[in-house]
Amino acid sequence: MSSCSFRVRIALNLKGLDYEYKAINLFKNEQSHPEYLKMNPIGYVPALVDGDIVLADSFAIILYLEEKHPQHPLLPRDLAKKAINYQVANIVASSIQPLLALPVMNYIGENVGEDAKIQWVYKHAAKGFAAALEILLKDHAGKYATGDEIYLADLFLAPQIISLKERFNFDMRLPSTIQVV
Amino acid sequence: MEEENQAMKLYSHPMSSCSRRVRLALYLKGLKYECINITGVGDPELLKVNPMGYVPALVDGTTVVSDSYAILLYLEEKYPQHALLPQDIIKKSINYQAASIVSSSIQPLQNTTLVHYIGELVSPDEKLPWAQNHIRKGFVALEKLLANHAGKYATGDEIYLADLYLTFQLDNAINRFKLDMTEFPLLLKLYKVYCQTPSIQQIFAESSQQQIDKSLFNFTKPQEA
């Protein structure tokens, strides 16, 4: 369910890495269960366990995978294009996703009202950031967000686009048609 | 004004934690740049260069990079002196995680624009509890993340990416939002070290001076307390 987890799963699949998937239900607050916290004291989802190493945070996990398993690179070599990918990833990870997270949406629902949730989503996902992404990608998009290969930007965009559609029926229109892997 | 090489430009706001992280990185790497303080949201000079209108935004020749995390990773690759990431992949990951906790879980939820919006949407009395709540949640995570890795600084005895994020977030938490730091002894200890570190003192001093020098549009709307 979590778009953050989805990002990591795309990366693992693209790189052909085997992994055991353990679902943590955020709606049931399973990330706070003692068993999960023992393994991952931070309590965030997703968390990757690679031997002795436990990593939480999708951006950190993906950069770790990129360094440790360089097959099917998720970043272009060209530094300017790489920077575009970092920017897209962080617009999604910092400016969109956190504002739509469950605790925030529950707060809006409880303190303002259920109808306010949709307005909140439109204000934060639509006006600012979809517009920003469209400007940013205008000169770079190809078949995918930053060219003709799937890169980091796509890993962040695709789950966010899907999540916005499924949770809030919001269509994030971007210049390229992002092919969902 | 003749310039031999095209110097970098940074569009910045003196008190923005996102801008200050980048300024600290530029300072540590010994990079010269022109610091252009933007006067407000929708600044036309900024929009010309960066249509998205975000600060910080770095102009390096023909390349424009906005978003502090993207700028920092860009700088790290292009100007590797005074590395901001340790070589060790685990310690490097701790830095990425710490940076992400601040940039995704804390900063966006306590930035002035959003806090002001919560004040309008819910109630002005809710602004401080909202900000403190989200900062506290992030700090709980950071305190645990860094427990086994901190040295003099967050992930060892050198200033790395994590410290760039923590310094200014802690400054906001303690000075702007008056967060009770009792639960966070490690973070408080780090903050005290940051305040004693000359490079960081330099950025704090510059920010204060820039804030005084220009009568800058402060992102808070006039009505905000």
Side-chain angles (χ1 to χ4, degrees), chain A residues 41-42 44 53 55-57 59-60 63-64 67 79 82 86-87 90 93-94 98-99 103 107-108 112 120 123-124 129 132 135, chain B residues 51-52 54 66-67 69-70 73-74 77-78 89-90 92-93 96-97 100 103-105 108-109 114 117 121-122 126 130 141 144-145:
Chain A
I42 301 174
Y44 287 2
I53 300 166
L55 292 173
D57 179 67
F59 193 57
L63 292 180
Y64 167 86
E67 185 168 332
L79 184 54
K82 194 183 285 195
Y86 289 144
Q87 286 172 85
N90 280 290
S94 300
L99 298 170
Y107 175 92
I108 299 293
V112 190
W120 174 273
K123 182 180 168 72
H124 294 289
F129 305 105
I135 293 170
Chain B
M52 290 196 294
Y54 294 164
S66 69
D67 179 79
Y69 212 152
L73 293 179
Y74 169 87
E77 185 166 330
K78 193 159 178 202
I89 195 174
I90 296 171
K92 192 184 290 190
S93 298
Y96 288 143
Q97 287 176 84
S100 289
S103 72
S104 296
S105 302
L109 296 170
L114 189 73
Y117 182 65
L121 190 65
V122 182
E126 272 302 300
W130 164 277
K144 288 180 187 159
L145 176 73

Short mmCIF file of all heavy atoms in Angstrom, two decimals, chain A residues 41-42 44 53 55-57 59-60 63-64 67 79 82 86-87 90 93-94 98-99 103 107-108 112 120 123-124 129 132 135, chain B residues 51-52 54 66-67 69-70 73-74 77-78 89-90 92-93 96-97 100 103-105 108-109 114 117 121-122 126 130 141 144-145:
data_model
loop_
_atom_site.label_atom_id
_atom_site.label_comp_id
_atom_site.label_asym_id
_atom_site.label_seq_id
_atom_site.Cartn_x
_atom_site.Cartn_y
_atom_site.Cartn_z
N PRO A 41 14.17 -0.17 15.11
CA PRO A 41 13.74 0.71 16.19
C PRO A 41 13.11 2.01 15.71
O PRO A 41 12.32 2.61 16.42
CB PRO A 41 15.03 1.01 16.97
CG PRO A 41 15.99 -0.06 16.58
CD PRO A 41 15.61 -0.51 15.21
N ILE A 42 13.46 2.42 14.51
CA ILE A 42 12.91 3.68 14.03
C ILE A 42 11.42 3.53 13.70
O ILE A 42 10.67 4.49 13.75
CB ILE A 42 13.69 4.16 12.80
CG1 ILE A 42 15.15 4.35 13.17
CG2 ILE A 42 13.13 5.44 12.27
CD1 ILE A 42 16.01 4.68 11.98
N TYR A 44 9.96 2.96 10.91
CA TYR A 44 9.48 3.44 9.60
C TYR A 44 9.33 2.26 8.64
O TYR A 44 9.97 1.23 8.78
CB TYR A 44 10.46 4.44 8.98
CG TYR A 44 10.50 5.82 9.62
CD1 TYR A 44 9.73 6.16 10.72
CD2 TYR A 44 11.33 6.81 9.10
CE1 TYR A 44 9.78 7.42 11.29
CE2 TYR A 44 11.39 8.08 9.65
CZ TYR A 44 10.61 8.38 10.74
OH TYR A 44 10.69 9.65 11.28
N ILE A 53 22.54 -5.50 8.29
CA ILE A 53 22.19 -4.08 8.10
C ILE A 53 20.68 -3.92 8.00
O ILE A 53 20.01 -4.68 7.30
CB ILE A 53 22.83 -3.56 6.79
CG1 ILE A 53 24.36 -3.70 6.88
CG2 ILE A 53 22.45 -2.12 6.52
CD1 ILE A 53 25.03 -3.53 5.56
N LEU A 55 18.03 -0.87 7.04
CA LEU A 55 17.93 0.49 6.54
C LEU A 55 16.47 0.87 6.43
O LEU A 55 15.69 0.14 5.84
CB LEU A 55 18.47 0.58 5.12
CG LEU A 55 19.96 0.40 4.88
CD1 LEU A 55 20.20 0.35 3.39
CD2 LEU A 55 20.71 1.58 5.46
N ALA A 56 16.11 2.02 6.96
CA ALA A 56 14.76 2.53 6.76
C ALA A 56 14.87 3.81 5.95
O ALA A 56 15.86 4.50 6.03
CB ALA A 56 14.08 2.79 8.09
N ASP A 57 13.87 4.12 5.20
CA ASP A 57 13.81 5.29 4.30
C ASP A 57 14.09 4.86 2.86
O ASP A 57 15.18 4.37 2.54
CB ASP A 57 14.79 6.41 4.66
CG ASP A 57 14.66 7.55 3.65
OD1 ASP A 57 13.59 8.20 3.64
OD2 ASP A 57 15.57 7.75 2.83
N PHE A 59 14.61 6.47 0.04
CA PHE A 59 15.69 7.13 -0.69
C PHE A 59 17.03 6.53 -0.29
O PHE A 59 17.83 6.15 -1.14
CB PHE A 59 15.66 8.64 -0.43
CG PHE A 59 16.53 9.47 -1.35
CD1 PHE A 59 16.36 9.42 -2.73
CD2 PHE A 59 17.49 10.33 -0.84
CE1 PHE A 59 17.14 10.21 -3.58
CE2 PHE A 59 18.27 11.11 -1.69
CZ PHE A 59 18.10 11.05 -3.06
N ALA A 60 17.24 6.37 1.01
CA ALA A 60 18.48 5.78 1.51
C ALA A 60 18.63 4.35 1.04
O ALA A 60 19.72 3.92 0.63
CB ALA A 60 18.52 5.85 3.04
N LEU A 63 19.55 4.33 -2.73
CA LEU A 63 20.95 4.72 -2.97
C LEU A 63 21.92 3.63 -2.51
O LEU A 63 22.95 3.40 -3.13
CB LEU A 63 21.26 6.06 -2.28
CG LEU A 63 20.55 7.29 -2.86
CD1 LEU A 63 20.94 8.55 -2.10
CD2 LEU A 63 20.87 7.47 -4.34
N TYR A 64 21.56 2.95 -1.42
CA TYR A 64 22.36 1.82 -0.95
C TYR A 64 22.37 0.70 -1.99
O TYR A 64 23.43 0.18 -2.35
CB TYR A 64 21.78 1.33 0.38
CG TYR A 64 22.30 -0.01 0.86
CD1 TYR A 64 23.47 -0.10 1.61
CD2 TYR A 64 21.60 -1.19 0.59
CE1 TYR A 64 23.95 -1.32 2.07
CE2 TYR A 64 22.07 -2.43 1.03
CZ TYR A 64 23.23 -2.48 1.77
OH TYR A 64 23.69 -3.70 2.22
N GLU A 67 24.52 1.50 -4.99
CA GLU A 67 25.96 1.35 -4.80
C GLU A 67 26.36 -0.12 -4.69
O GLU A 67 27.35 -0.55 -5.26
CB GLU A 67 26.41 2.10 -3.53
CG GLU A 67 27.92 2.07 -3.34
CD GLU A 67 28.43 3.04 -2.28
OE1 GLU A 67 27.79 4.07 -2.04
OE2 GLU A 67 29.50 2.75 -1.72
N LEU A 79 25.74 14.15 -14.98
CA LEU A 79 25.47 14.73 -13.66
C LEU A 79 24.24 15.63 -13.66
O LEU A 79 23.47 15.63 -12.70
CB LEU A 79 26.71 15.51 -13.18
CG LEU A 79 26.64 16.11 -11.77
CD1 LEU A 79 26.29 15.07 -10.72
CD2 LEU A 79 27.97 16.77 -11.42
N LYS A 82 21.32 13.40 -13.67
CA LYS A 82 21.27 12.76 -12.36
C LYS A 82 20.62 13.72 -11.37
O LYS A 82 19.75 13.33 -10.57
CB LYS A 82 22.70 12.41 -11.92
CG LYS A 82 22.80 11.45 -10.76
CD LYS A 82 24.23 11.21 -10.35
CE LYS A 82 24.98 10.31 -11.29
NZ LYS A 82 26.25 9.81 -10.71
N TYR A 86 17.38 13.42 -8.79
CA TYR A 86 17.38 13.72 -7.35
C TYR A 86 16.28 14.72 -7.02
O TYR A 86 15.59 14.62 -6.01
CB TYR A 86 18.71 14.31 -6.92
CG TYR A 86 19.90 13.36 -6.90
CD1 TYR A 86 21.17 13.82 -7.26
CD2 TYR A 86 19.78 12.03 -6.50
CE1 TYR A 86 22.29 12.99 -7.23
CE2 TYR A 86 20.89 11.18 -6.48
CZ TYR A 86 22.13 11.67 -6.84
OH TYR A 86 23.24 10.84 -6.82
N GLN A 87 16.12 15.72 -7.88
CA GLN A 87 15.12 16.75 -7.61
C GLN A 87 13.71 16.17 -7.64
O GLN A 87 12.90 16.45 -6.76
CB GLN A 87 15.22 17.89 -8.63
CG GLN A 87 16.43 18.79 -8.41
CD GLN A 87 16.59 19.77 -9.54
OE1 GLN A 87 15.99 20.83 -9.56
NE2 GLN A 87 17.43 19.44 -10.51
N ASN A 90 13.03 14.07 -4.61
CA ASN A 90 12.82 14.83 -3.38
C ASN A 90 11.59 15.70 -3.41
O ASN A 90 10.99 15.95 -2.36
CB ASN A 90 14.08 15.62 -3.02
CG ASN A 90 15.07 14.71 -2.35
OD1 ASN A 90 14.86 14.28 -1.22
ND2 ASN A 90 16.12 14.34 -3.06
N ALA A 93 9.25 13.04 -2.36
CA ALA A 93 9.49 12.53 -1.01
C ALA A 93 9.35 13.59 0.07
O ALA A 93 9.06 13.26 1.21
CB ALA A 93 10.89 11.92 -0.92
N SER A 94 9.57 14.86 -0.28
CA SER A 94 9.51 15.90 0.74
C SER A 94 8.31 16.80 0.60
O SER A 94 7.82 17.32 1.59
CB SER A 94 10.76 16.79 0.69
OG SER A 94 11.90 16.00 0.91
N PRO A 98 4.84 13.36 2.24
CA PRO A 98 4.67 13.55 3.69
C PRO A 98 3.36 14.25 4.04
O PRO A 98 2.81 14.05 5.13
CB PRO A 98 5.85 14.43 4.10
CG PRO A 98 6.80 14.39 2.96
CD PRO A 98 6.02 14.09 1.73
N LEU A 99 2.88 15.09 3.13
CA LEU A 99 1.66 15.83 3.42
C LEU A 99 0.42 14.96 3.25
O LEU A 99 -0.66 15.33 3.69
CB LEU A 99 1.58 17.05 2.50
CG LEU A 99 2.74 18.03 2.73
CD1 LEU A 99 2.78 19.10 1.66
CD2 LEU A 99 2.62 18.70 4.09
N PRO A 103 -1.09 9.80 9.17
CA PRO A 103 -1.30 10.60 10.40
C PRO A 103 -1.76 12.03 10.08
O PRO A 103 -2.59 12.60 10.80
CB PRO A 103 0.07 10.62 11.08
CG PRO A 103 0.83 9.49 10.49
CD PRO A 103 0.28 9.25 9.13
N TYR A 107 -5.42 13.66 10.95
CA TYR A 107 -5.48 14.92 11.69
C TYR A 107 -6.44 15.90 11.01
O TYR A 107 -7.28 16.52 11.65
CB TYR A 107 -4.08 15.53 11.80
CG TYR A 107 -4.04 16.89 12.44
CD1 TYR A 107 -3.84 17.04 13.81
CD2 TYR A 107 -4.18 18.05 11.66
CE1 TYR A 107 -3.79 18.30 14.40
CE2 TYR A 107 -4.12 19.31 12.25
CZ TYR A 107 -3.93 19.42 13.61
OH TYR A 107 -3.89 20.69 14.18
N ILE A 108 -6.29 16.03 9.69
CA ILE A 108 -7.16 16.95 8.94
C ILE A 108 -8.61 16.49 9.05
O ILE A 108 -9.51 17.29 9.31
CB ILE A 108 -6.75 17.03 7.45
CG1 ILE A 108 -5.32 17.55 7.29
CG2 ILE A 108 -7.72 17.89 6.65
CD1 ILE A 108 -5.12 18.98 7.70
N VAL A 112 -10.64 19.20 11.00
CA VAL A 112 -11.31 20.11 10.08
C VAL A 112 -12.57 19.44 9.52
O VAL A 112 -13.65 19.99 9.59
CB VAL A 112 -10.38 20.54 8.93
CG1 VAL A 112 -11.01 21.66 8.13
CG2 VAL A 112 -9.02 20.98 9.46
N TRP A 120 -7.13 19.58 0.88
CA TRP A 120 -5.73 19.53 1.31
C TRP A 120 -4.87 18.86 0.26
O TRP A 120 -3.81 19.33 -0.11
CB TRP A 120 -5.67 18.79 2.65
CG TRP A 120 -4.31 18.51 3.17
CD1 TRP A 120 -3.53 17.41 2.89
CD2 TRP A 120 -3.57 19.30 4.09
NE1 TRP A 120 -2.34 17.49 3.58
CE2 TRP A 120 -2.34 18.62 4.32
CE3 TRP A 120 -3.80 20.51 4.74
CZ2 TRP A 120 -1.35 19.13 5.18
CZ3 TRP A 120 -2.82 21.00 5.60
CH2 TRP A 120 -1.62 20.31 5.81
N LYS A 123 -4.57 21.05 -2.82
CA LYS A 123 -3.71 22.21 -2.57
C LYS A 123 -2.25 21.81 -2.63
O LYS A 123 -1.43 22.49 -3.23
CB LYS A 123 -4.04 22.83 -1.21
CG LYS A 123 -3.23 24.08 -0.88
CD LYS A 123 -3.60 24.64 0.47
CE LYS A 123 -2.61 25.71 0.93
NZ LYS A 123 -2.73 26.97 0.17
N HIS A 124 -1.92 20.68 -2.02
CA HIS A 124 -0.52 20.33 -1.88
C HIS A 124 0.01 19.50 -3.03
O HIS A 124 1.13 19.68 -3.47
CB HIS A 124 -0.27 19.65 -0.53
CG HIS A 124 -0.50 20.59 0.61
ND1 HIS A 124 0.35 21.62 0.88
CD2 HIS A 124 -1.51 20.69 1.48
CE1 HIS A 124 -0.12 22.31 1.90
NE2 HIS A 124 -1.25 21.78 2.29
N PHE A 129 2.99 21.14 -6.64
CA PHE A 129 4.05 20.21 -7.00
C PHE A 129 3.86 19.52 -8.32
O PHE A 129 4.83 19.28 -9.02
CB PHE A 129 4.31 19.29 -5.82
CG PHE A 129 4.60 20.13 -4.62
CD1 PHE A 129 3.67 20.28 -3.61
CD2 PHE A 129 5.77 20.87 -4.55
CE1 PHE A 129 3.91 21.14 -2.55
CE2 PHE A 129 6.03 21.73 -3.49
CZ PHE A 129 5.10 21.85 -2.48
N ALA A 132 5.19 22.04 -10.50
CA ALA A 132 6.65 22.09 -10.44
C ALA A 132 7.27 20.95 -11.24
O ALA A 132 8.23 21.14 -11.99
CB ALA A 132 7.11 22.02 -8.99
N ILE A 135 7.14 21.53 -14.97
CA ILE A 135 8.17 22.47 -15.43
C ILE A 135 9.53 21.77 -15.47
O ILE A 135 10.29 21.88 -16.43
CB ILE A 135 8.24 23.70 -14.51
CG1 ILE A 135 6.96 24.51 -14.63
CG2 ILE A 135 9.45 24.57 -14.85
CD1 ILE A 135 6.83 25.61 -13.58
N PRO B 51 12.20 28.33 -12.91
CA PRO B 51 10.75 28.53 -13.03
C PRO B 51 9.94 27.89 -11.91
O PRO B 51 8.81 28.27 -11.68
CB PRO B 51 10.40 27.88 -14.38
CG PRO B 51 11.68 27.78 -15.11
CD PRO B 51 12.76 27.68 -14.09
N MET B 52 10.54 26.93 -11.24
CA MET B 52 9.79 26.32 -10.13
C MET B 52 9.70 27.26 -8.95
O MET B 52 8.84 27.10 -8.08
CB MET B 52 10.44 25.02 -9.71
CG MET B 52 10.29 23.94 -10.75
SD MET B 52 10.65 22.33 -10.06
CE MET B 52 12.37 22.54 -9.70
N TYR B 54 11.64 27.64 -6.36
CA TYR B 54 12.04 27.15 -5.03
C TYR B 54 13.38 27.74 -4.63
O TYR B 54 14.25 27.99 -5.46
CB TYR B 54 12.22 25.63 -5.04
CG TYR B 54 10.97 24.82 -5.27
CD1 TYR B 54 11.06 23.48 -5.62
CD2 TYR B 54 9.70 25.35 -5.12
CE1 TYR B 54 9.95 22.70 -5.82
CE2 TYR B 54 8.57 24.60 -5.34
CZ TYR B 54 8.70 23.26 -5.68
OH TYR B 54 7.58 22.49 -5.89
N SER B 66 17.64 22.71 -8.08
CA SER B 66 16.92 23.16 -6.89
C SER B 66 16.66 21.95 -6.01
O SER B 66 16.86 20.82 -6.43
CB SER B 66 15.63 23.87 -7.25
OG SER B 66 14.73 22.94 -7.77
N ASP B 67 16.24 22.23 -4.78
CA ASP B 67 16.07 21.20 -3.75
C ASP B 67 17.40 20.93 -3.08
O ASP B 67 18.38 20.51 -3.72
CB ASP B 67 15.52 19.87 -4.32
CG ASP B 67 15.39 18.84 -3.22
OD1 ASP B 67 14.41 18.92 -2.47
OD2 ASP B 67 16.29 17.99 -3.07
N TYR B 69 18.61 18.65 -1.06
CA TYR B 69 19.18 17.30 -1.10
C TYR B 69 19.84 17.07 -2.45
O TYR B 69 20.98 16.60 -2.56
CB TYR B 69 18.07 16.27 -0.87
CG TYR B 69 18.50 14.99 -0.13
CD1 TYR B 69 17.56 14.29 0.64
CD2 TYR B 69 19.77 14.46 -0.22
CE1 TYR B 69 17.90 13.13 1.31
CE2 TYR B 69 20.12 13.29 0.44
CZ TYR B 69 19.18 12.63 1.21
OH TYR B 69 19.50 11.46 1.87
N ALA B 70 19.15 17.47 -3.52
CA ALA B 70 19.70 17.32 -4.88
C ALA B 70 20.95 18.17 -5.04
O ALA B 70 21.96 17.72 -5.61
CB ALA B 70 18.65 17.71 -5.92
N LEU B 73 23.93 16.53 -3.15
CA LEU B 73 24.47 15.35 -3.84
C LEU B 73 25.19 15.76 -5.12
O LEU B 73 26.21 15.16 -5.51
CB LEU B 73 23.36 14.33 -4.13
CG LEU B 73 22.74 13.69 -2.88
CD1 LEU B 73 21.62 12.72 -3.27
CD2 LEU B 73 23.78 12.96 -2.05
N TYR B 74 24.68 16.77 -5.79
CA TYR B 74 25.33 17.32 -6.99
C TYR B 74 26.71 17.88 -6.63
O TYR B 74 27.72 17.56 -7.26
CB TYR B 74 24.44 18.40 -7.60
CG TYR B 74 25.10 19.24 -8.67
CD1 TYR B 74 25.09 18.83 -10.00
CD2 TYR B 74 25.73 20.44 -8.35
CE1 TYR B 74 25.69 19.61 -10.99
CE2 TYR B 74 26.34 21.21 -9.33
CZ TYR B 74 26.31 20.80 -10.65
OH TYR B 74 26.92 21.56 -11.63
N GLU B 77 29.34 15.27 -5.85
CA GLU B 77 29.92 14.57 -6.99
C GLU B 77 30.84 15.50 -7.79
O GLU B 77 31.92 15.10 -8.22
CB GLU B 77 28.82 14.01 -7.90
CG GLU B 77 29.38 13.17 -9.04
CD GLU B 77 28.36 12.32 -9.76
OE1 GLU B 77 27.36 11.90 -9.12
OE2 GLU B 77 28.57 12.06 -10.96
N LYS B 78 30.43 16.72 -7.96
CA LYS B 78 31.22 17.62 -8.81
C LYS B 78 32.44 18.20 -8.10
O LYS B 78 33.46 18.46 -8.71
CB LYS B 78 30.33 18.74 -9.34
CG LYS B 78 31.01 19.50 -10.45
CD LYS B 78 30.07 20.27 -11.34
CE LYS B 78 30.91 21.02 -12.39
NZ LYS B 78 30.24 22.15 -12.97
N ILE B 89 29.91 2.18 3.38
CA ILE B 89 28.55 2.19 2.86
C ILE B 89 27.50 2.25 3.97
O ILE B 89 26.44 2.86 3.82
CB ILE B 89 28.29 1.02 1.89
CG1 ILE B 89 27.01 1.26 1.08
CG2 ILE B 89 28.25 -0.31 2.63
CD1 ILE B 89 26.76 0.22 -0.01
N ILE B 90 27.81 1.66 5.11
CA ILE B 90 26.84 1.68 6.22
C ILE B 90 26.75 3.08 6.80
O ILE B 90 25.65 3.63 6.98
CB ILE B 90 27.22 0.65 7.30
CG1 ILE B 90 27.14 -0.76 6.71
CG2 ILE B 90 26.32 0.78 8.52
CD1 ILE B 90 27.69 -1.83 7.61
N LYS B 92 27.54 5.77 5.35
CA LYS B 92 26.96 6.61 4.30
C LYS B 92 25.43 6.50 4.35
O LYS B 92 24.73 7.52 4.31
CB LYS B 92 27.47 6.13 2.94
CG LYS B 92 27.19 7.07 1.78
CD LYS B 92 27.64 6.50 0.46
CE LYS B 92 29.13 6.42 0.30
NZ LYS B 92 29.54 6.08 -1.08
N SER B 93 24.94 5.29 4.51
CA SER B 93 23.49 5.07 4.59
C SER B 93 22.87 5.75 5.80
O SER B 93 21.75 6.23 5.73
CB SER B 93 23.16 3.59 4.66
OG SER B 93 23.61 2.95 3.50
N TYR B 96 22.37 9.25 4.78
CA TYR B 96 21.20 9.40 3.90
C TYR B 96 19.91 9.31 4.72
O TYR B 96 18.96 10.06 4.50
CB TYR B 96 21.16 8.30 2.84
CG TYR B 96 22.18 8.39 1.73
CD1 TYR B 96 22.77 7.22 1.22
CD2 TYR B 96 22.54 9.61 1.16
CE1 TYR B 96 23.70 7.27 0.18
CE2 TYR B 96 23.48 9.66 0.12
CZ TYR B 96 24.04 8.49 -0.35
OH TYR B 96 24.97 8.54 -1.38
N GLN B 97 19.86 8.36 5.65
CA GLN B 97 18.64 8.19 6.44
C GLN B 97 18.37 9.41 7.30
O GLN B 97 17.23 9.88 7.39
CB GLN B 97 18.74 6.94 7.32
CG GLN B 97 18.62 5.64 6.54
CD GLN B 97 18.82 4.43 7.42
OE1 GLN B 97 17.91 3.96 8.08
NE2 GLN B 97 20.03 3.91 7.45
N SER B 100 17.14 12.20 5.19
CA SER B 100 15.75 11.97 4.76
C SER B 100 14.76 12.18 5.89
O SER B 100 13.67 12.70 5.66
CB SER B 100 15.57 10.55 4.23
OG SER B 100 16.21 10.41 2.99
N SER B 103 14.46 15.86 5.95
CA SER B 103 13.91 16.50 4.75
C SER B 103 12.52 16.01 4.39
O SER B 103 11.76 16.73 3.77
CB SER B 103 14.85 16.34 3.55
OG SER B 103 14.83 15.01 3.09
N SER B 104 12.17 14.79 4.79
CA SER B 104 10.84 14.29 4.46
C SER B 104 9.90 14.26 5.65
O SER B 104 8.71 14.49 5.49
CB SER B 104 10.92 12.86 3.90
OG SER B 104 11.62 12.88 2.68
N SER B 105 10.40 13.91 6.83
CA SER B 105 9.49 13.71 7.95
C SER B 105 9.37 14.93 8.86
O SER B 105 8.39 15.04 9.59
CB SER B 105 9.92 12.51 8.79
OG SER B 105 9.96 11.36 7.98
N PRO B 108 9.27 19.49 6.08
CA PRO B 108 8.07 19.91 5.33
C PRO B 108 6.87 20.16 6.23
O PRO B 108 5.95 20.89 5.85
CB PRO B 108 7.77 18.73 4.40
CG PRO B 108 8.89 17.78 4.52
CD PRO B 108 9.67 18.11 5.73
N LEU B 109 6.87 19.56 7.41
CA LEU B 109 5.71 19.68 8.27
C LEU B 109 5.85 20.80 9.28
O LEU B 109 4.89 21.13 9.97
CB LEU B 109 5.44 18.33 8.98
CG LEU B 109 5.09 17.22 7.97
CD1 LEU B 109 5.08 15.86 8.64
CD2 LEU B 109 3.73 17.48 7.33
N LEU B 114 3.52 26.09 5.87
CA LEU B 114 2.56 25.07 6.27
C LEU B 114 2.01 25.33 7.66
O LEU B 114 0.80 25.18 7.90
CB LEU B 114 3.19 23.68 6.22
CG LEU B 114 2.14 22.59 6.43
CD1 LEU B 114 1.27 22.45 5.19
CD2 LEU B 114 2.76 21.25 6.77
N TYR B 117 -0.55 27.84 7.48
CA TYR B 117 -1.76 27.29 6.88
C TYR B 117 -2.57 26.49 7.91
O TYR B 117 -3.80 26.59 7.96
CB TYR B 117 -1.40 26.42 5.68
CG TYR B 117 -2.58 25.84 4.95
CD1 TYR B 117 -3.48 26.66 4.29
CD2 TYR B 117 -2.79 24.46 4.93
CE1 TYR B 117 -4.58 26.12 3.62
CE2 TYR B 117 -3.88 23.92 4.26
CZ TYR B 117 -4.75 24.75 3.61
OH TYR B 117 -5.84 24.22 2.95
N LEU B 121 -6.35 26.99 8.94
CA LEU B 121 -7.29 25.90 8.68
C LEU B 121 -7.94 25.38 9.96
O LEU B 121 -9.12 25.07 10.00
CB LEU B 121 -6.53 24.77 7.99
CG LEU B 121 -7.31 23.61 7.40
CD1 LEU B 121 -8.16 24.10 6.24
CD2 LEU B 121 -6.34 22.53 6.91
N VAL B 122 -7.11 25.28 11.01
CA VAL B 122 -7.60 24.69 12.25
C VAL B 122 -7.78 25.77 13.32
O VAL B 122 -8.88 26.14 13.66
CB VAL B 122 -6.65 23.57 12.74
CG1 VAL B 122 -7.18 22.91 13.99
CG2 VAL B 122 -6.43 22.53 11.65
N GLU B 126 -3.14 25.92 17.37
CA GLU B 126 -2.68 24.61 16.95
C GLU B 126 -1.31 24.64 16.30
O GLU B 126 -0.68 23.59 16.11
CB GLU B 126 -3.68 24.01 15.94
CG GLU B 126 -4.80 23.23 16.58
CD GLU B 126 -4.27 22.10 17.43
OE1 GLU B 126 -3.57 21.22 16.90
OE2 GLU B 126 -4.55 22.11 18.66
N TRP B 130 1.30 21.50 16.56
CA TRP B 130 1.50 20.78 15.29
C TRP B 130 2.99 20.67 14.97
O TRP B 130 3.51 19.59 14.70
CB TRP B 130 0.77 21.53 14.16
CG TRP B 130 1.18 21.15 12.78
CD1 TRP B 130 2.26 21.63 12.09
CD2 TRP B 130 0.55 20.22 11.91
NE1 TRP B 130 2.35 21.04 10.84
CE2 TRP B 130 1.30 20.19 10.70
CE3 TRP B 130 -0.59 19.41 12.01
CZ2 TRP B 130 0.95 19.38 9.62
CZ3 TRP B 130 -0.93 18.61 10.93
CH2 TRP B 130 -0.17 18.59 9.75
N ALA B 141 13.05 9.32 16.05
CA ALA B 141 13.69 8.44 15.07
C ALA B 141 15.19 8.72 14.97
O ALA B 141 16.02 7.81 14.94
CB ALA B 141 13.03 8.61 13.70
N LYS B 144 17.32 7.43 17.88
CA LYS B 144 17.59 5.99 17.78
C LYS B 144 18.57 5.69 16.65
O LYS B 144 19.46 4.86 16.79
CB LYS B 144 16.28 5.24 17.51
CG LYS B 144 15.37 5.19 18.70
CD LYS B 144 14.10 4.43 18.37
CE LYS B 144 13.13 4.56 19.53
NZ LYS B 144 11.75 4.30 19.13
N LEU B 145 18.38 6.33 15.52
CA LEU B 145 19.22 6.06 14.34
C LEU B 145 20.69 6.29 14.65
O LEU B 145 21.56 5.52 14.26
CB LEU B 145 18.79 6.98 13.18
CG LEU B 145 19.64 6.89 11.91
CD1 LEU B 145 19.36 5.60 11.17
CD2 LEU B 145 19.36 8.08 10.99
#
